[in-house]
Amino acid sequence: MQVTERFLHYVSYDTQSDEDSTDSPSTAKQKVLGAALAEELTAIGLQNAHMDEKGYVYGWLPATPGCEGVPCMGLIAHMDTSPSASGANVKPRIVRYEGETIVLDPETGVSLDPKEFESLSRYIGKDLIVTDGKTLLGADDKAGVAEIVSAVEHLALHPEIPHGRIAVGFTPDEEVGRGSDGFDVEGFGAAVAYTVDGGELGELNYENFDASKGVVTVHGVNIHPGSAKNKMKNALLIAHSFVGQLPAEETPAHTEGYEGFYHLGYAAGDETTAELHFILRDFTREGLEQREETLRTIAARLNDQWGEGTVEVTITEQYANMREKIEPHMYLILKARAAMEACGITPEESPIRGGTDGARLSFRGLPCPNLCTGGANFHGVHEYIPVFALEKMVEVLVRLVTVETHE
Ligand SMILES: [Zn+2]
């Protein structure tokens, strides 16, 4: 089966995950695709291909004769789609792109405008898979799944290509931050792995945010406003003052690249109590610790002013930059660069301004950088992927696992 056909088939499954669910997987429908994938991997010839009760799919392609000693390499992608946009009744359409604005939904006017989405200009003359403007596409990450399945199918059909043992893993619930929770690192048995979950062709990531969250609770004192002079401590105003003491330019809307930020994502309360939820992000541990310290310093300052115990800060670590776990295995990055270049793709290394399952797996002992899928505009109705990008990534993955024989 061709990778495009395979991709179009996978996006017909609704696999949206749900952050409010405590089940594993968070939505049972992810297992429908999981079961189909386990069956497909078996049909291709992978060993012991199966889905476990939490919806994780695993399978192994044995090494070709003579390559049994090559360390097992893992290829990982996620099956779920983002809760930010519907993934039900996805109606993908292939359009030959000629540089125009692509109207996705004539009724609502939802369009892909090259003025808004500049990278479209790279794809003039190419076939793009787009949505009908009502759902996301699901290239994140069914493109990764389709590329991996097509790559192992190619290897199974071409036993003359030498490779070590390959472990394939498909996870549920990546989009709700729990994709690595139930991942059986030991059973997977790979020495190293790649997630195939990035954006446009060339993207290669092995750095991500150091992340924590801070919850600020303000305890005020409420008195009838008519007789409150020198008595009321309005928790909302104290919370407001807290926000005002943060550096105004260090927010997601003012930062990019390696710059970190404070992000206020939730605020609620009344005169008596108020709560602020922040996420803190940086690319170094020291940078993140400084941000945590800033929250504590502001709290201390307000407590001096309003009385001890008025403002409380609770910090929780979320995830860490995988860079330190990848650095001892830099050959993973060299290999990925070489595989892309051999396929005519220029690698573009960039830090991920977020977390990845690969980062979490790296800290659990499976070094795991991230490769592109070729898709763009993830998590919304503007998502698309060029057909040739799907095909290129199959080639890249085959290259990546091929053992150089120098004969
Ligand atoms: Zn993804």
Side-chain angles (χ1 to χ4, degrees), residues 6 75 146-156 393-394 397-398:
R6 190 163 261 144
L75 296 174
E147 288 156 2
I148 292 171
V149 175
S150 294
V152 292
E153 181 189 54
H154 184 87
L155 292 167
M393 279 313 292
V394 178
L397 295 178
V398 168

Side-chain angles (χ1 to χ4, degrees), residues 78 80 139-142 174-175 196-198 373 378-379:
H78 66 89
D80 63 317
D140 177 14
D141 186 24
K142 286 164 183 160
E174 190 272 351
E175 298 290 0
V196 185
D197 187 23
T373 58
F378 292 165
H379 297 189

Side-chain angles (χ1 to χ4, degrees), residues 156-238:
L157 292 171
H158 293 272
E160 73 280 7
I161 302 175
H163 60 82
R165 182 172 156 87
I166 297 166
V168 170
F170 299 132
T171 72
D173 291 338
E174 190 272 351
E175 298 290 0
V176 294
R178 308 207 304 257
S180 68
D181 289 7
F183 194 89
D184 179 9
V185 172
E186 207 177 311
F188 195 53
V192 291
Y194 295 89
T195 49
V196 185
D197 187 23
E200 293 180 70
L201 277 185
E203 196 180 304
L204 170 57
N205 325 102
Y206 59 98
E207 294 177 89
N208 61 284
F209 275 143
D210 281 292
S212 59
K213 63 178 179 183
V215 173
V216 176
T217 311
V218 183
H219 304 283
V221 175
N222 195 16
I223 311 276
H224 186 283
S227 51
K229 188 164 185 186
N230 297 329
K231 295 193 187 94
M232 187 192 283
K233 291 196 232 173
N234 186 340
L236 283 171
L237 291 179
I238 297 170

